[in-house]
Structure formats: structure tokens, C-alpha cells
Amino acid sequence: VQLQASGGGLVQAGESLTLSCAASGNIFRINDMGWYCQAPGKQRELVAIISSDGFTKYADSVKGRFSISRDNAKNTIYLQMNSLKSEDTAVYYCYVDSPLPGFGRPRRDFWGQGTLVTVSS
């Protein structure tokens, strides 16, 4: 399974960006999908997750500003980022949990290459 993320760039504070991440390859099913970010000198941390039935979870720092969605037909997730702040500057990584077929299969996480978001103040 390969993930291709896109949509990062340089924006000014208060502006918006939309990230996308498309999964391809030997995909039998996809459970949750999500985004993490890693700022310089910091650990990778959760931004948002969306389950297969649409349940979402957000980091407190992005609640009300970011929105995660998915298109199951396209195996793609999106992250709409509004009211961006300088502290949102980071590399954003997408992931999917795509287990092998069969009942009770364990997680199989795949990660994208990361896309850089830079917010200038």
C-alpha cells in the first residue's frame, strides 16, 4: 500500500489549506485514516483521525479550525485547515490502517511521505 500526500505549502496566518492523501496498491479494506504532524524539534503528534464509519477525533489545538473527511471510493482522505497559525507549521503525515483480509486481522499501518505546511505570521 502506498500513500501519496499533497497540498502543503507556504501560507500566511489566517489563511487556509487543504491536504489530501490517496492510498493505492493491495488494499482489501481501510479502517481508520488520519493525519499526524511533526514540527521541528518535536515528536510526531496526532492531528485528526477518521474511522471507517465517519467518526472523527481531533487534537485540541485544531478543534474548530481543521476538518478531516474521507472518500472511500477513492481511498482518499482530506484535511481542511482553516485559520492557520504559525504554530501549525510542521510536516504533515497521513496514515491508513489497512489490514489483510480475514476476521480479527491486526492493524497494518502505512504512512505517506509527508507534506510541509509553513505558516508565516
Side-chain angles (χ1 to χ4, degrees):
V1 177
Q2 298 81 41
L3 300 182
Q4 182 65 49
S6 61
L10 172 63
V11 297
Q12 294 190 340
E15 294 185 339
S16 299
L17 273 178
T18 300
L19 307 183
S20 63
C21 177
S24 61
N26 289 330
I27 299 171
F28 303 99
R29 75 173 187 272
I30 295 179
N31 292 334
D32 52 285
M33 311 173 78
W35 294 92
Y36 278 69
C37 71
Q38 187 166 18
K42 295 187 177 181
Q43 291 186 333
R44 191 174 297 189
E45 57 185 25
L46 172 70
V47 177
I49 295 175
I50 184 167
S51 69
S52 57
D53 56 3
F55 178 80
T56 58
K57 178 181 179 180
Y58 296 92
D60 288 341
S61 60
V62 305
K63 284 180 181 177
R65 298 189 298 123
F66 290 11
S67 177
I68 188 170
S69 60
R70 63 191 283 170
D71 183 334
N72 291 328
K74 297 180 179 180
N75 292 328
T76 299
I77 55 169
Y78 306 93
L79 186 68
Q80 175 67 43
M81 311 165 70
N82 297 326
S83 303
L84 282 161
K85 305 176 181 179
S86 57
E87 50 263 44
D88 295 321
T89 295
V91 177
Y92 285 73
Y93 298 91
C94 57
Y95 84 92
V96 299
D97 168 26
S98 181
L100 292 171
F103 179 77
R105 289 287 192 171
R107 298 186 64 91
R108 243 183 13 148
D109 287 343
F110 298 91
W111 291 85
Q113 83 282 7
T115 184
L116 176 63
V117 173
T118 304
V119 184
S120 64
S121 56

